[in-house]
Amino acid sequence: MEALCHRRDKIIVGSYMGFLRIFNPHPVKPGDGTQAEDLLLEVQLREPVLQVEVGKFVSGTELLHLAVLHCRKLCVYAVSGTLGSVEHGNQYHIKLIYEHNLQRTACNMTYGPFGGVKGRDLICIQSMDGMLMLFEQESYAFGRFLPGFLLPGPLTYSSRTDSFITVSSSRQVESYKYQVLAFATDADERQETEQQKHSSGKRLVVDWVLNIGEQALDIRVVSFNQMVSSLFVLGERNFFCLKDNGQIRFMKKLDYSPSCFLPYCSVTEGTINTLIGNYNNMLLVYQDVTLKWATQLPHTPVAVKVCCLQDMKGLIVTLSDSGHLQCSYLGTDPSVFQAPKVESREMNYEELDREMKELQKIIKEATKTQDILPKSEDDDLKVTAEVSFHLDAISQAIDSEVRAEVVPSVTVKITVQSRLAVQKPKLSVCVQPPLALTCDQFIFNDIGPAVSKTVVLSAFLKGNCPPAELEGNAIFSYNTPTADFNPKGVPRVAQCKFRLPLRLICFPAQPSKTANHKLTIDTNKPPVSLVRLFPDFSDQSDEDQVNSLGFQFLAGSRTTLLASKTSQRYRIQSDQLEDIWLIANELTLRLEEHFKKQNCKDFLCIFSGSIPLQEYFECIDHHFELRLNAEKFQELLSERAIQFRAIERRLLARFKDKTPAPLQHLDTLLEGTYRQVIALADAAEENQANMFQAFVKLKSATHLVIMLISLWQKLSPDQIAILESTFLPLMQDTQELGWEETVDAAISYLLRTCLSKSSKEQALTLTSQLSIPKDTSRLKKHITLLCDRLAKGGRLCLNADTNTQQAIIMPGGCTAIPESDLEERTAVQDPTPIFTDHKHLTKQKSKPDKWFQEWQHFKIVKLLLMVMAL
């Protein structure tokens, strides 16, 4: 018999009578009998069951299947279930996927990813006459006889060393490499003839041998991690732990006759626990060679496993030779008590309504005076970043892709000042690609009180495109000691932001008179000389630079900045729309800083032109086209890889065939397919690099559009933050979650909430699954609609109450613009809103659940505020 537990909390038992049973036990009270619903499946097979295993035995899928070994047959089944209306109505059944008729009587089997294959398991069966038969899922691979074989012993597979380990009748532990088995002489006959001795092929050679001096009952492999694994052998009187090379790690002499064992990784690092059952009905727990626990069982265990059933971890499953299956645990009784359901009672909704209004008033007053989370002391630890005013004399740029003679770099000095002692300090510095740092991770020893640490690093442009942001962030994580002497301490984080200079990515150039894209920014103050605003880009002696400056990006186009002599206007022009963003942003920042030094508080920048949506849509289409190309390359690579593996299998079959046969140009086809795979991989890599550059340019253009909308509508900082979180939700763009579908979902939410014009739009539901769209027409339509709603007086806000008021007070008596064809059909078919206004919930006692949940939420917040006040 064999008992086997799996992570899905099922127990599979096979018997010599041909019965295959699958159990899912439930906890019972002491003295209760077996429950009928514990047995999920019972099937009587025609032959005795020698062994059962669960693994990835079917090609084309990574789902788990059940392998059943009979004396002359190997069968692989799929176990499936059908849900019933009640729990005991669920039905389970097995379906035969494939089977192998064995030419020799089987003894045992093992499985694993032989040869390092990924996503599937191969099976190795040991016969009674010493032949190892290997099956590659549905097909038979080869068979090899073990040298000097007399009687079969336990067999296992070590994935770390890719070898099979068994104990021979000579009482020796022997290890055979899978590669040696694969290239050894084929074992068609038991006795070797003179012709076989002189034929081609390698003899089967053992990798290593260890004499243990006794017969083994079982053998197991346990891995600490990917680097370390141990081999455990249970003998008749001793228990061995071996290394991968066969050396003894430790051994334990037993004072009893063992019947079964199970080694597993311990919670203590570097140690292994082992369960050993004996014929005295005892179950003992060892940690390495130390006995940690011993318990009495009602039967003699012949198989033992550890599993998790019904959210109860660490259950021990034992099986006796008479078929007695038991699930037990060590220690105290686990809590299986479930609180009874509270009987529903009628509620006074008017009283709850008054209480909820009071709670709302308390929460509003509390949020005005204090934050939800307590702030730490600012004087405990400070992180400051200082960016050098001048570029490095000797550039520190490393592996830059910029096609320039010299790629400049700038020094950033970060200082950490601590008033208290801190533990496990770590500093992480990050900038947005394509910017890069010479070093971005710093790990310190424990810092004492009143000690400061300083690190110096350099930033430079690594990618071949201008960045979308010049801001960087320094994050310092540490632990502070506690009063209760907790060795781990309390984790805390301190951070600071810094801004890199514009000279890092561009240099002065001659202004250009013509450009494809032009933007004009108005101000309410007299124009300022560009020499005073940009002293690092201008020559003091050149009078022409008073009203015009040129900026040449290291990896971009030339951008020109013009200042009007008579009006209060500034013009930025460039051949690329995305290159305008950094110059326009730098202009507004330096203007604000200039007038702030003059104590001018009413300075404003205004944009009265038209938003360049068409040029912005071109950036979106270019990025989306590269995403579609990436999907096409992925599909083509998958097809060519499948074709390449199919040709490889056919060539391997021809090479293995004893009778030589012509290749029929398979080698030519293999070489051609290989060249196609390499060409497609190179094209996909180039497309990935282009998509990264397109995403950076799209972020720059998005920043520019957000700035123009904010200057156009005079948005507050909170509204600008909403726009930025809507248009720039992702730091990285991937095929699984791209910019287009994410931004479309965010804009759709705004159009259905704060920018909606009627309750019909608020009633429309959003899809919960984001996937790459077919085109960008819907996204561009939503962006245009967003600008149209803002132009008609819409206000960005995420408060639910404000959203309702916004839908009422928005000017313009026109009807709501439908977002898509589906909404147009919905508006025509169903003119009434789906949901009622939340103000009428007190009159509808048939649906109080949502209202009652809000009331409970407010009570919890009130309790939190009271605790914070104490």
Side-chain angles (χ1 to χ4, degrees):
M1 300 181 184
E2 177 73 13
L4 188 144
C5 280
H6 195 259
R7 290 295 182 186
R8 293 185 179 178
D9 305 333
K10 303 294 185 296
I11 302 175
I12 306 173
V13 180
S15 68
Y16 291 144
M17 301 299 294
F19 285 95
L20 182 68
R21 298 180 178 92
I22 301 179
F23 297 92
N24 183 24
H26 295 74
V28 296
K29 298 179 181 179
D32 291 350
T34 305
Q35 301 179 8
E37 57 267 22
D38 291 349
L39 181 61
L40 301 182
L41 177 67
E42 181 179 20
V43 179
Q44 184 175 11
L45 307 177
R46 296 181 179 179
E47 300 180 14
V49 177
L50 302 182
Q51 190 175 346
V52 290
E53 298 288 354
V54 176
K56 304 173 183 178
F57 301 133
V58 178
S59 60
T61 178
E62 293 188 5
L63 297 177
L64 298 178
H65 290 76
L66 179 64
V68 181
L69 179 65
H70 302 287
C71 296
R72 287 278 184 168
K73 185 183 297 185
L74 172 65
C75 301
V76 176
Y77 298 93
V79 182
S80 59
T82 304
L83 294 178
S85 57
V86 292
E87 182 180 1
H88 57 269
N90 300 340
Q91 297 181 1
Y92 295 85
H93 56 275
I94 61 173
K95 178 182 179 182
L96 179 64
I97 303 300
Y98 64 86
E99 65 179 13
H100 292 290
N101 293 318
L102 307 179
Q103 301 298 324
R104 288 174 166 80
T105 304
C107 177
N108 51 26
M109 69 174 175
T110 185
Y111 72 99
F114 304 161
V117 297
K118 302 294 183 181
R120 57 176 180 161
D121 293 325
L122 310 183
I123 299 176
C124 176
I125 300 177
Q126 180 180 211
S127 66
M128 297 297 292
D129 56 354
M131 181 179 179
L132 297 183
M133 298 172 286
L134 283 90
F135 296 86
E136 294 183 358
Q137 295 180 340
E138 290 88 348
S139 60
Y140 172 75
F142 57 86
R144 300 291 184 266
F145 278 107
L146 297 178
F149 181 86
L150 182 60
L151 294 174
L155 176 69
T156 189
Y157 171 75
S158 175
S159 59
R160 171 171 153 72
T161 59
D162 194 22
S163 57
F164 298 91
I165 300 100
T166 184
V167 179
S168 65
S169 56
S170 303
R171 300 182 176 181
Q172 293 179 346
V173 182
E174 301 176 354
S175 174
Y176 297 91
K177 290 284 187 179
Y178 174 78
Q179 296 295 335
V180 176
L181 289 172
F183 290 101
T185 305
D186 200 4
D188 289 336
E189 299 292 334
R190 182 65 179 89
Q191 292 82 12
E192 294 184 352
T193 62
E194 290 297 325
Q195 182 180 0
Q196 288 176 337
K197 292 182 181 180
H198 298 285
S199 62
S200 61
K202 298 181 180 179
R203 294 178 57 87
L204 183 57
V205 180
V206 66
D207 185 27
W208 55 263
V209 176
L210 177 66
N211 192 342
I212 60 175
E214 60 182 336
Q215 187 59 40
L217 303 180
D218 200 356
I219 184 170
R220 298 290 177 95
V221 175
V222 177
S223 298
F224 291 102
N225 47 49
Q226 295 181 354
M227 301 301 296
V228 181
S229 63
S230 296
L231 177 66
F232 290 82
V233 181
L234 180 64
E236 296 174 340
R237 285 294 179 182
N238 295 279
F239 168 64
F240 302 88
C241 177
L242 311 180
K243 298 181 181 179
D244 292 333
N245 56 1
Q247 298 179 359
I248 296 180
R249 192 186 301 273
F250 62 83
M251 65 174 292
K252 174 70 175 177
K253 183 175 178 60
L254 305 177
D255 299 332
Y256 48 83
S257 298
S259 58
C260 60
F261 86 131
L262 175 69
Y264 61 97
C265 292
S266 173
V267 294
T268 305
E269 185 176 358
T271 61
I272 291 182
N273 288 355
T274 306
L275 297 174
I276 300 181
N278 58 23
Y279 288 98
N280 297 329
N281 298 349
M282 296 285 293
L283 184 66
L284 302 100
V285 182
Y286 290 89
Q287 188 176 69
D288 289 344
V289 296
T290 306
L291 179 64
K292 292 292 184 179
W293 195 284
T295 182
Q296 187 76 33
L297 296 177
H299 57 265
T300 300
V302 296
V304 59
K305 293 285 181 177
V306 176
C307 67
C308 174
L309 297 173
Q310 305 298 327
D311 296 331
M312 298 172 62
K313 298 181 180 180
L315 290 181
I316 300 176
V317 182
T318 55
L319 180 68
S320 69
D321 54 357
S322 60
H324 184 81
L325 182 66
Q326 177 176 305
C327 299
S328 52
Y329 54 86
L330 301 178
T332 58
D333 293 342
S335 176
V336 294
F337 172 77
Q338 295 182 355
K341 295 183 179 180
V342 181
E343 297 181 0
S344 59
R345 52 188 175 86
E346 195 70 22
M347 300 179 184
N348 189 351
Y349 295 104
E350 295 180 357
E351 181 180 353
L352 295 179
D353 192 15
R354 287 193 300 269
E355 186 177 356
M356 188 173 69
K357 289 181 180 180
E358 294 178 0
L359 293 173
Q360 286 178 335
K361 187 181 299 183
I362 295 174
I363 292 174
K364 287 182 180 180
E365 293 176 356
T367 53
K368 292 179 182 178
T369 57
Q370 63 182 5
D371 295 331
I372 297 298
L373 296 177
K375 294 184 178 179
S376 60
E377 294 290 338
D378 295 336
D379 297 335
D380 290 350
L381 189 141
K382 288 185 178 180
V383 181
T384 57
E386 181 183 353
V387 182
S388 176
F389 294 102
H390 304 285
L391 300 178
D392 297 338
I394 300 177
S395 177
Q396 303 296 322
I398 304 173
D399 298 333
S400 178
E401 302 174 359
V402 180
R403 301 172 184 174
E405 296 181 359
V406 178
V407 179
S409 63
V410 66
T411 301
V412 181
K413 181 180 179 181
I414 300 176
T415 304
V416 180
Q417 297 177 346
S418 176
R419 188 175 62 87
L420 303 175
V422 297
Q423 304 170 352
K424 298 181 180 180
K426 181 179 179 182
L427 177 64
S428 301
V429 187
C430 57
V431 292
Q432 295 299 322
L435 295 173
L437 302 171
T438 53
C439 184
D440 57 357
Q441 297 286 339
F442 300 90
I443 299 177
F444 308 99
N445 296 324
D446 293 349
I447 301 177
V451 176
S452 63
K453 294 287 185 179
T454 302
V455 297
V456 178
L457 51 96
S458 295
F460 60 93
L461 182 63
K462 185 175 183 179
N464 194 22
C465 61
E469 299 176 5
L470 292 176
E471 288 79 8
N473 198 7
I475 304 173
F476 187 77
S477 60
Y478 60 98
N479 291 357
T480 57
T482 57
D484 55 354
F485 301 100
N486 185 3
K488 296 184 179 179
V490 178
R492 292 185 180 275
V493 173
Q495 61 178 343
C496 73
K497 294 184 179 181
F498 58 89
R499 181 176 176 83
L500 300 175
L502 189 62
R503 282 294 301 270
L504 187 65
I505 59 172
C506 62
F507 56 88
Q510 189 69 23
S512 178
K513 297 182 179 180
T514 60
N516 296 331
H517 306 281
K518 301 178 182 180
L519 292 177
T520 302
I521 297 178
D522 300 335
T523 62
N524 59 349
K525 297 296 178 182
V528 184
S529 172
L530 297 182
V531 177
R532 297 180 59 184
L533 288 178
F534 295 90
D536 48 344
F537 282 88
S538 59
D539 187 2
Q540 301 290 340
S541 61
D542 192 353
E543 297 181 357
D544 295 338
Q545 293 185 346
V546 175
N547 299 317
S548 63
L549 280 180
F551 304 86
Q552 177 63 52
F553 286 95
L554 294 176
S557 61
R558 180 177 301 180
T559 303
T560 302
L561 175 60
L562 303 173
S564 177
K565 299 179 181 180
T566 57
S567 61
Q568 306 167 355
R569 294 184 175 181
Y570 301 88
R571 170 172 290 182
I572 307 104
Q573 57 186 22
S574 177
D575 290 335
Q576 302 294 332
L577 177 67
E578 60 273 5
D579 291 343
I580 299 179
W581 152 244
L582 288 176
I583 306 302
N585 185 44
E586 194 75 18
L587 174 64
T588 56
L589 292 178
R590 297 197 182 194
L591 284 174
E592 291 176 357
E593 184 180 359
H594 172 76
F595 288 104
K596 185 177 181 180
K597 291 180 180 179
Q598 298 182 358
N599 295 326
C600 181
K601 299 181 180 179
D602 58 345
F603 171 74
L604 287 178
C605 290
I606 306 169
F607 178 74
S608 57
S610 59
I611 306 296
L613 291 182
Q614 295 302 325
E615 295 83 353
Y616 180 54
F617 291 160
E618 292 178 2
C619 296
I620 296 176
D621 291 337
H622 178 58
H623 174 260
F624 185 72
E625 181 182 358
L626 292 176
R627 286 189 64 193
L628 294 180
N629 292 340
E631 280 199 342
K632 294 179 182 178
F633 283 128
Q634 186 176 0
E635 293 177 359
L636 291 175
L637 268 175
S638 178
E639 294 177 359
R640 293 299 181 270
I642 293 174
Q643 178 179 335
F644 187 79
R645 289 192 293 268
I647 299 173
E648 276 187 328
R649 284 194 295 267
R650 294 211 174 180
L651 277 175
L652 184 62
R654 294 291 177 90
F655 291 149
K656 284 185 176 181
D657 195 357
K658 293 184 178 180
T659 58
L663 297 180
Q664 296 180 352
H665 302 289
L666 286 176
D667 53 344
T668 306
L669 187 59
L670 182 68
E671 182 179 359
T673 307
Y674 174 75
R675 291 178 179 177
Q676 291 180 0
V677 170
I678 295 300
L680 285 173
D682 293 340
E685 187 176 5
E686 182 181 359
N687 183 80
Q688 188 71 20
N690 295 335
M691 189 167 63
F692 170 74
Q693 295 184 7
F695 183 61
V696 175
K697 294 179 181 180
L698 178 59
K699 287 199 296 184
S700 299
T702 304
H703 277 295
L704 179 62
V705 170
I706 293 174
M707 186 188 73
L708 295 180
I709 293 177
S710 63
L711 297 179
W712 170 43
Q713 292 295 322
K714 300 179 182 179
L715 301 180
S716 64
D718 293 338
Q719 293 174 328
I720 296 175
I722 294 176
L723 270 185
E724 289 179 348
S725 61
T726 301
F727 281 90
L728 297 169
L730 300 176
M731 298 298 295
Q732 295 181 353
D733 188 40
T734 60
Q735 288 296 110
E736 292 78 12
L737 184 62
W739 182 87
E740 286 79 7
E741 56 266 26
T742 310
V743 173
D744 186 28
I747 296 178
S748 300
Y749 176 78
L750 292 180
L751 294 176
R752 288 167 172 81
T753 53
C754 60
L755 296 181
S756 62
K757 289 189 176 182
S758 64
S759 58
K760 298 178 182 178
E761 295 183 7
Q762 295 181 3
L764 295 172
T765 58
L766 296 173
T767 178
S768 59
Q769 184 176 3
L770 296 181
S771 59
I772 182 171
K774 296 181 180 179
D775 51 37
T776 58
S777 58
R778 175 185 171 89
L779 173 62
K780 292 187 286 188
K781 184 177 181 180
H782 284 175
I783 295 176
T784 307
L785 187 59
L786 175 69
C787 297
D788 180 70
R789 295 281 174 88
L790 291 175
K792 292 181 179 180
R795 187 161 60 92
L796 294 172
C797 184
L798 298 180
N799 192 349
D801 296 336
T802 311
N803 294 343
T804 307
Q805 298 174 5
Q806 178 71 17
I808 299 175
I809 66 174
M810 278 188 60
C814 59
T815 58
I817 303 176
E819 318 294 341
S820 62
D821 297 338
L822 178 61
E823 298 176 18
E824 293 178 358
R825 293 194 297 268
T826 306
V828 173
Q829 295 175 3
D830 189 6
T832 59
I834 299 176
F835 299 104
T836 48
D837 190 8
H838 68 278
K839 296 181 180 179
H840 301 289
L841 279 174
T842 56
K843 300 180 181 179
Q844 299 178 2
K845 294 188 177 180
S846 59
K847 297 182 178 180
D849 296 337
K850 182 178 180 181
W851 185 89
F852 184 65
Q853 291 175 1
E854 293 180 1
W855 174 75
Q856 287 182 328
H857 169 71
F858 284 118
K859 291 197 67 176
I860 294 174
V861 175
K862 180 182 178 181
L863 180 60
L864 287 175
L865 294 175
M866 292 175 62
V867 172
M868 289 169 53
L870 294 175

